[in-house]
Coordinates of all heavy atoms in Angstrom, one line a residue:
M142 N 10.2 5.8 -6.5 CA 11.5 6.2 -6.1 C 11.9 5.8 -4.7 O 13.0 5.7 -4.3 CB 11.7 7.7 -6.3 CG 11.8 8.1 -7.8 SD 13.1 7.2 -8.6 CE 12.2 6.3 -9.9
Q146 N 16.0 4.6 -4.7 CA 17.1 5.5 -4.4 C 17.8 5.1 -3.1 O 17.8 5.9 -2.1 CB 16.6 6.9 -4.4 CG 16.1 7.4 -5.8 CD 15.5 8.7 -5.8 OE1 15.2 9.3 -4.8 NE2 15.2 9.3 -7.0
R178 N 6.5 5.7 -14.0 CA 7.7 6.4 -14.4 C 7.6 7.9 -14.1 O 6.6 8.4 -13.8 CB 7.9 6.1 -15.9 CG 8.0 4.7 -16.4 CD 9.1 3.9 -15.6 NE 10.3 4.5 -15.6 CZ 11.4 4.3 -16.3 NH1 11.3 3.4 -17.3 NH2 12.5 4.9 -16.2
G179 N 8.7 8.5 -14.3 CA 8.9 9.9 -13.9 C 8.2 10.9 -14.8 O 7.0 11.2 -14.8
H180 N 9.0 11.5 -15.8 CA 8.5 12.5 -16.7 C 7.6 11.8 -17.7 O 7.7 10.6 -17.9 CB 9.7 13.2 -17.4 CG 10.6 13.9 -16.4 ND1 11.5 13.2 -15.7 CD2 10.8 15.2 -16.2 CE1 12.2 14.1 -14.9 NE2 11.8 15.3 -15.2
V183 N 9.8 9.5 -19.8 CA 10.9 8.8 -19.2 C 11.0 7.4 -19.7 O 12.1 6.9 -20.0 CB 10.8 8.8 -17.7 CG1 11.6 7.7 -17.0 CG2 11.3 10.1 -17.1
R589 N 8.6 14.3 -3.4 CA 7.9 15.2 -4.2 C 6.6 15.8 -3.6 O 6.0 15.2 -2.7 CB 7.5 14.5 -5.5 CG 8.7 14.2 -6.3 CD 8.5 13.2 -7.4 NE 9.7 13.2 -8.2 CZ 10.8 12.5 -8.0 NH1 10.9 11.8 -6.9 NH2 11.8 12.6 -8.8
Y662 N 12.4 18.1 -2.7 CA 13.7 18.4 -3.4 C 13.5 19.4 -4.5 O 14.5 19.6 -5.3 CB 14.4 17.1 -3.8 CG 14.0 16.6 -5.2 CD1 14.9 16.8 -6.3 CD2 12.9 15.9 -5.4 CE1 14.6 16.4 -7.5 CE2 12.6 15.4 -6.7 CZ 13.5 15.6 -7.7 OH 13.2 15.1 -9.0
Ligands
LIG803 MO1 12.4 10.4 -12.0

Side-chain angles (χ1 to χ4, degrees):
M142 291 303 119
Q146 293 174 352
R178 305 305 313 260
H180 302 73
V183 157
R589 294 163 166 83
Y662 88 99

